[in-house]
Amino acid sequence: MSKRKHQKKNRLLRIADRKYERQLEKAGKFVVGKLKMTHSGFGFVEVDPAERVTEKGEDIFIPIPKINGALDGDTVKVQLLPGRREFSEDTANRGATGRIVEVLERSRDSFVAELLPGGVVRPLNTRLPDGIKLLGGRKGAVKGDFVRVRGPEMVRGEWRGTISAVIGHAGVLEAELDAVM
């Protein structure tokens, strides 16, 4: 490795160390914000600019195992986690990471889903979890019907909901329109 490249690498490592030290200072702190889920299951918490945790004011990354039952749009309390100490081109621009410790307010109390076999529903909103098990009766709904479901709530590690209304059968124009309205 040339002397110039070696100096550059050492400088980048010093910068990464300083950044890591700042992250450790902030780690353990709690902030409140709104969760924005991705289709892949991880999320970002948008924090009020007054509670900014990074120099750039970026959103806080929440990995899938740290979502802890929160849903897209929920207002959540987040504990900041220390970042990675190692430096690489991939991690150079990563912002704050956190874990959700509490859902302060749900963004929705119901959603529209398609009834699947086995008493399970699949939400039309792809940012909600798949395979939500139903509690209670089906209110006359059959496989393939669009239904309005109260919930979801996490019960013993499983998402659960209750049918509150039957909208109509998937594939029927009127039901399709009602489902998305």
Side-chain angles (χ1 to χ4, degrees), residues 4-150:
R4 188 175 186 89
K5 281 186 180 181
H6 185 69
Q7 288 173 334
K8 181 178 180 183
K9 183 177 180 180
N10 282 340
R11 187 174 64 84
L12 290 175
L13 287 172
R14 284 193 309 275
I15 290 169
D17 279 346
R18 284 195 303 266
K19 183 177 179 182
Y20 181 74
E21 294 302 322
R22 285 193 305 270
Q23 287 175 339
L24 280 179
E25 288 172 14
K26 293 176 184 174
K29 291 185 180 178
F30 295 92
V31 293
V32 173
K34 189 169 290 259
L35 177 64
K36 297 181 292 184
M37 296 287 292
T38 66
H39 300 287
S40 302
F42 59 87
F44 293 90
V45 173
E46 190 175 65
V47 179
D48 185 325
E51 292 191 64
R52 219 171 85 159
V53 294
T54 65
E55 292 79 25
K56 300 176 188 174
E58 300 156 332
D59 296 341
I60 301 167
F61 172 70
I62 310 293
I64 294 170
K66 307 291 185 194
I67 295 286
N68 292 335
L71 299 169
D72 184 55
D74 287 352
T75 301
V76 296
K77 182 177 180 181
V78 176
Q79 180 182 25
L80 299 177
L81 301 174
R84 297 182 180 188
R85 188 176 188 107
E86 72 274 0
F87 177 84
S88 71
E89 297 299 319
D90 301 0
T91 61
N93 295 317
R94 287 195 179 157
T97 301
R99 74 178 180 97
I100 295 174
V101 294
E102 185 179 358
V103 175
L104 301 174
E105 183 180 338
R106 286 275 186 217
S107 62
R108 63 181 53 85
D109 59 358
S110 67
F111 61 95
V112 175
E114 181 181 359
L115 181 60
L116 302 175
V120 174
V121 294
R122 178 180 47 226
L124 297 186
N125 181 343
T126 58
R127 294 179 182 201
L128 292 176
D130 265 346
I132 297 170
K133 291 191 175 189
L134 292 174
L135 300 171
R138 294 189 184 165
K139 303 206 185 248
V142 295
K143 176 185 162 203
D145 280 354
F146 288 126
V147 293
R148 177 157 300 283
V149 179
R150 265 190 310 248

